Amino acid sequence: MRKILIIGATSAIAESTARRFAARGDALFLVARNQVRLQAIADDLKVRGAPRAAIATLDVTDFAAHSAVIEQAERELGGLDVALIAHGTLSDQNECQSSVDTLRREFDINAISTMSLLTELANRFAARKQGTLAVISSVAGDRGRQSNYVYGSAKAAVTAFASGLRQRLAKVNVDVLTIEPGFVDTPMTAAIPDKGALWVQPTRVAAGIVDAIDKRRSVVYLPWFWRYIMFVIRHIPEPIFKKLKL
Amino acid sequence: MPVGTSWGRYPPVAAQAVVPLRWRDAQLPTLESYMLAYGNGRSYGDSCTNAGGTLLHTRGLDRFIAFDPSTGVLRCEAGVLFSEIIDLIVPKGWFLPVTPGTKFITVGGAIANDVHGKNHHRAGTFGEYVRRFELLRSDGARIECSPDENAPLFRATVGGLGLTGVITWAEFALQPISNPWMAIENRRFGDLREFLQLSAESERDFAYTVAWVDCAAPATALGRGVFMRANHTPADTCSGPAAPRRRLTMPFTPPLSLINTASLRAFNALYFHRRRPQNEIGHYDSYFYPLDAIGDWNRIYGPRGFLQYQCLVPMADAQNSMAALLDEIRRSGSGSFLAVLKVFGDRRAAGILSFARAGATLALDFPNHGQTTLDLLERLDDVVCAAGGAVYPAKDARLKRARFERYFPNWTAMLPHLDPRFSSGWWRRVMEQ
C-alpha cells in the first residue's frame, strides 16, 4: 500500500488514475475545489479497493493554503509516497491575448501554483529521501504555437521546473516524473469539435501514468507517439514555422 | 459504435445532439429539444435514439457509491456497466441478480428496459431487485423512488424506456455465489413439445434455463434445438475453466450482410449436430455472455444493419403459436444463428411497460432486407397478437401504435409520469406523433 496525494483530483485524468491506484490497494488523499464531487470520487475509490480516501478542498490560487493542505495529507495518511499534480485549465488563447489579467490568472493556475506545490512537496520528500513527484505538463509546452501559447508557455515553465527539480532530487533518491499528454478527450477539451485519430480516452493516459511511476521514468509522452510528433514540431525551422498555423 | 447509434443500426437516425453527463449532482442542461438518456447503446431499435433531439450520455456517471460485501447491496451511478460491476463483485462472492446476454449495458439501461435473463422463471426481472433510485426530472426535481416511496413513479420508470427522466443512481440487491463457475447440462430436443416438456421439468432444479432453436431447420424438423440448463456451482467446486481470453473484434463493416440463407442453414445444421457434453463446468463469462467475446459483432450484418425481434406468447397455446412463428421464419429463409427460446415465470411485472410476463419467448435477429423483412415481422406480429402476446420494446424498431396498445394494455398508466421534456424515437413512433 502506497500513500498517494492527488491535487486536481476531480479532473478526468486524475480520477481515472486514482481508480488504478485504488484497485491496487493504495491509500489516497484527494484535493480539488468541489467538495461534493471529491466525496463522490472518494466513495467510488473506497468501493474499488482504496483502504482510505480522504478529501480536502483547495483553490490552487490560494497559495497561502498550499502548505497546510500538504501537511493535512501527510497527517491523514501517515506520510506520502507519491504526489500527483493534475490540476489545470485550458486557457482561452484569445482572451489571454486581450487581457493581461486573464493571462496572469492562467499562469497562476497552470504554472505558479504547480511550482509552488512542487516546492513544498520537494522539500518534504527530500528530507525523507524517498518518493515520487509526478506532474502533468503538456505537449503544448514543447514549443509555443499561435493557437495556445499562453497555456503552452505555462506548461513550458512546469516542464523546465520539473527538469531542474528532477536533477536536484535525484541526489536524494526522489523521482520527479514529467507527464506530457497529447490530446485527451476530457471535459477540459469538450469544447473542441471534430476530435480525430490522435485523441485518446483518459483511461489510456491513466494507465501510462501509473506505469511511468512504477518504472521510475523521467519524462513520459502519453500516448508514446507524441514524443515523435513533438520532436518534429520542435525542429521545424523558424522561417517555415512562422508561415504555419499550428 | 459511435455514441448515438443503436445496436441494430436500424432505423438510421437523423442528427441528434449529445451532451455528456459526468456529475450526478449537476443540473440537466436547459434545452429546447427533447432529451433522452443514452447509456451504452445496446438497445437494438430506436428506444435509445432521439432524432432531432438531445441524448444525455450517461457513461460519465460511472462511480460506485457504496457496496456492503456482507449483505450484497450495491449502490452506484446509472452509467456503470454490468461488466464493471461483475469485475468488482465476483471475487467478493456475489453476482448480478439478473443479467441479459450482454454485460455491456448500464445500470440505468437495465432499469429502463427492466431486463430479464435465463433465470426469469425463478428470479424475475432486474427491476425486482432495485431497492431505490434517484430520478432527475427536466424541471430540476430530484425524486427518490422505491417500491414503497413514490411507488407509481418507480413503476413507471422501471421498464419505462427513459421517458420519465434520467436515473442518476440506483441501489439493488445482488445474489451470493461461491465461485465463478456454472454447472451446465445440454439436452437436444426434436420439436417444440419436447422443448416445453424439458423446460417444465427443469424449472424446479435449475436456476437458469434457455434453449437454442434451429430457425433454419426443414419443416420436418421444425422446433429442434438444444436445451441448456445450469446452476452456479456449489461451494465444494474448487476448480473450473478460466475466464475466456482476449476478445476478438469485428474490425470493419462488410459491404453486405454475412448472414444469408446458405450460411444460416449450414451453421444451424452444424450447431445442432455438434457433439457437446451432456454435463460440463463452464466459466460464467462464456456461459452468460458468449457474444460479448466478439466486439462489435453487430457489424456482421453489413451497413444496413439488422432488426432483432423478441416476442412472447402465453403458455396456454404456446406450442402452436411458437410453431406458427417458426414456420413463418423457416419459409422466409431469413433469421439468425442464435435464435433463443425460453419459458418465463408467472410473476407480477415490476414496471408498467415491463415486457417479461408468463409465457414462452422467442428472440432472433434478421438482417435488414428492407420491406421484405418488415413484412415478415408484420406476419410474426399477426401470430403474436392473435395469441395475446407481446413484443419487447428494447429490441423493437418498427411496431405501430395499434399493436403497441394491444401488447401493453396498461400503457396509459404511464401518461401522468412522463417527463414533458423527454422523448425517444421509439416513443414518437409508437405514439404516431
Side-chain angles (χ1 to χ4, degrees):
Chain A
M1 183 196 81
R2 292 171 306 174
K3 300 155 187 164
I4 300 177
L5 164 69
I6 302 180
I7 292 169
T10 52
S11 91
I13 292 176
E15 182 176 9
S16 196
T17 310
R19 287 183 185 179
R20 290 184 171 263
F21 291 140
R24 293 177 9 165
D26 294 332
L28 293 147
F29 191 87
L30 311 170
V31 177
R33 277 174 301 177
N34 187 316
Q35 177 155 17
V36 172
R37 293 175 181 182
L38 276 172
Q39 194 57 54
I41 292 174
D43 291 343
D44 173 67
L45 296 176
K46 278 186 261 187
V47 174
R48 289 176 192 268
R52 285 216 62 177
I55 63 169
T57 54
L58 171 76
D59 182 329
V60 292
T61 57
D62 181 5
F63 293 93
H66 288 187
S67 182
V69 157
I70 292 167
E71 209 169 284
Q72 190 187 344
E74 289 191 325
R75 203 170 50 240
E76 296 241 7
L77 299 185
L80 286 175
D81 301 306
V82 177
L84 171 66
I85 301 186
H87 70 270
T89 51
L90 187 58
S91 319
D92 182 323
Q93 176 62 27
N94 286 329
E95 228 179 278
C96 293
Q97 283 168 211
S98 52
S99 157
V100 175
D101 283 344
T102 307
L103 165 74
R104 291 181 64 149
R105 191 172 52 85
E106 292 300 314
F107 252 75
D108 274 350
I109 295 169
N110 291 317
I112 312 286
S113 73
T114 303
M115 297 188 288
S116 158
L117 289 160
L118 281 173
T119 301
E120 287 280 352
L121 287 161
N123 295 335
R124 291 161 192 268
F125 277 52
R128 283 197 302 271
K129 294 190 165 47
Q130 64 97 22
T132 302
L133 302 176
V135 58
I136 299 186
S137 188
S138 169
V139 296
D142 282 17
R143 187 170 192 179
R145 290 168 294 115
Q146 69 174 29
S147 59
N148 68 349
Y149 62 81
V150 172
Y151 177 74
S153 52
K155 289 299 193 183
V158 169
T159 299
F161 186 94
S163 169
L165 191 63
R166 175 160 48 246
Q167 202 178 27
R168 175 189 142 204
L169 295 184
K171 279 81 180 176
V172 288
N173 190 41
V174 173
D175 295 327
V176 177
L177 167 67
T178 310
I179 300 152
E180 300 215 28
F183 298 154
V184 189
D185 188 5
T186 68
M188 187 174 97
T189 56
I192 300 173
D194 301 327
K195 298 187 169 70
L198 293 178
W199 288 80
V200 295
Q201 291 301 309
T203 47
R204 179 151 174 209
V205 174
I209 292 174
V210 172
D211 185 61
I213 292 172
D214 288 349
K215 292 186 176 149
R216 307 187 64 172
R217 300 270 300 273
S218 297
V219 180
V220 62
Y221 286 80
L222 295 172
W224 57 271
F225 51 77
W226 283 98
R227 180 179 292 274
Y228 302 97
I229 294 174
M230 295 320 295
F231 179 86
V232 171
I233 289 179
R234 273 199 314 274
H235 289 86
I236 300 171
E238 283 294 343
I240 299 171
F241 193 72
K242 279 193 285 188
K243 296 200 175 80
L244 300 177
K245 283 185 178 171
L246 289 172
Chain B
M1 289 294 116
V3 173
T5 51
S6 73
W7 192 242
R9 298 195 292 168
Y10 178 89
V13 195
Q16 47 192 351
V18 177
V19 174
L21 303 186
R22 186 162 139 74
W23 302 103
R24 65 177 183 267
D25 66 297
Q27 289 302 310
L28 290 179
T30 311
L31 298 164
E32 288 300 306
S33 63
Y34 284 123
M35 292 178 271
L36 179 70
Y38 179 94
N40 209 35
R42 253 48 179 194
S43 296
Y44 288 79
D46 49 4
S47 65
C48 66
T49 65
N50 195 14
T54 302
L55 295 178
L56 306 171
H57 190 207
T58 61
R59 271 291 285 139
L61 301 175
D62 66 344
R63 295 174 195 90
F64 295 106
I65 299 171
F67 175 54
D68 184 342
S70 61
T71 59
V73 173
L74 177 70
R75 184 183 284 217
C76 66
E77 293 180 347
V80 174
L81 294 180
F82 271 21
S83 59
E84 295 166 333
I85 294 174
I86 289 172
D87 289 345
L88 176 83
I89 63 174
V90 168
K92 296 181 163 76
W94 296 94
F95 199 72
L96 295 161
V98 166
T99 177
T102 174
K103 58 182 174 175
F104 299 123
I105 62 163
T106 62
V107 167
I111 296 171
N113 292 286
D114 194 17
V115 297
H116 58 266
K118 299 177 174 75
N119 60 352
H120 184 276
H121 60 283
R122 232 194 228 184
T125 59
F126 186 75
E128 295 183 38
Y129 298 86
V130 176
R131 296 157 54 108
R132 184 165 281 272
F133 56 75
E134 180 187 74
L135 190 68
L136 178 54
R137 306 268 292 184
S138 62
D139 61 7
R142 291 174 184 272
I143 308 171
E144 278 197 33
C145 303
S146 78
D148 309 314
E149 197 179 329
N150 295 310
L153 191 52
F154 182 90
R155 282 180 51 76
T157 303
V158 172
L161 298 148
L163 300 168
T164 59
V166 180
I167 300 167
T168 56
W169 57 260
E171 181 182 284
F172 47 95
L174 306 170
Q175 62 163 321
I177 53 169
S178 306
N179 54 58
W181 300 298
M182 309 296 298
I184 305 159
E185 294 190 17
N186 302 302
R187 299 283 183 273
R188 244 179 236 158
F189 54 86
D191 56 32
L192 289 167
R193 192 186 51 81
E194 273 183 57
F195 160 73
L196 290 168
Q197 208 176 331
L198 266 169
S199 207
E201 71 188 39
S202 306
E203 273 177 10
R204 195 174 54 97
D205 295 330
F206 293 87
Y208 301 94
T209 65
V210 72
W212 168 83
V213 63
D214 182 353
C215 67
T220 49
L222 191 78
R224 73 179 180 186
V226 180
F227 194 86
M228 292 163 260
R229 53 195 189 189
N231 287 308
H232 292 284
T233 47
D236 58 6
T237 310
C238 38
S239 73
R245 294 279 300 273
R246 263 192 86 73
R247 50 186 233 141
L248 304 166
T249 291
M250 183 73 190
F252 62 93
T253 305
L256 284 172
S257 168
L258 300 180
I259 313 287
N260 55 45
T261 310
S263 67
L264 189 67
R265 288 226 174 95
F267 173 89
N268 279 23
L270 281 171
Y271 191 82
F272 178 74
H273 290 291
R274 192 181 81 168
R275 291 171 68 99
R276 49 174 67 75
Q278 287 252 315
N279 301 296
E280 58 181 322
I281 302 289
H283 191 269
Y284 75 83
D285 204 51
S286 27
Y287 177 74
F288 287 109
Y289 313 115
L291 276 178
D292 285 347
I294 308 163
D296 295 337
W297 63 259
N298 54 347
R299 287 178 164 169
I300 201 170
Y301 286 103
R304 300 183 69 187
F306 68 99
L307 290 93
Q308 159 105 186
Y309 187 78
Q310 180 167 0
C311 63
L312 171 138
V313 291
M315 284 311 284
D317 201 26
Q319 193 179 326
N320 288 327
S321 333
M322 208 48 94
L325 291 167
L326 287 174
D327 199 48
E328 278 291 350
I329 295 163
R330 177 190 65 78
R331 280 190 282 140
S332 77
S334 196
S336 64
F337 294 161
L338 286 173
V340 171
L341 268 178
K342 154 118 192 110
V343 173
F344 282 159
D346 189 2
R347 304 173 72 91
R348 179 174 180 266
I352 297 167
L353 291 187
S354 288
F355 162 71
R357 57 196 82 173
T361 184
L362 169 70
L364 72 171
D365 306 331
F366 296 95
N368 174 23
H369 294 309
Q371 200 54 49
T372 318
T373 308
L374 295 175
D375 290 345
L376 168 63
L377 298 190
E378 210 57 44
R379 293 197 298 279
L380 298 182
D381 259 1
D382 291 340
V383 176
V384 173
C385 215
V391 160
Y392 192 10
K395 301 186 170 179
D396 170 52
R398 24 71 55 191
L399 212 55
K400 294 199 174 61
R401 179 164 184 154
R403 286 269 160 82
F404 165 72
E405 291 186 353
R406 286 283 298 274
Y407 294 155
F408 296 91
N410 296 329
W411 73 274
T412 50
M414 286 294 290
L415 294 175
H417 305 296
L418 298 175
D419 188 305
R421 301 304 310 150
F422 278 68
S423 181
S424 68
W426 178 85
W427 182 246
R428 290 189 292 275
R429 176 166 52 75
V430 297
M431 286 291 103
E432 296 175 359
Q433 286 171 351

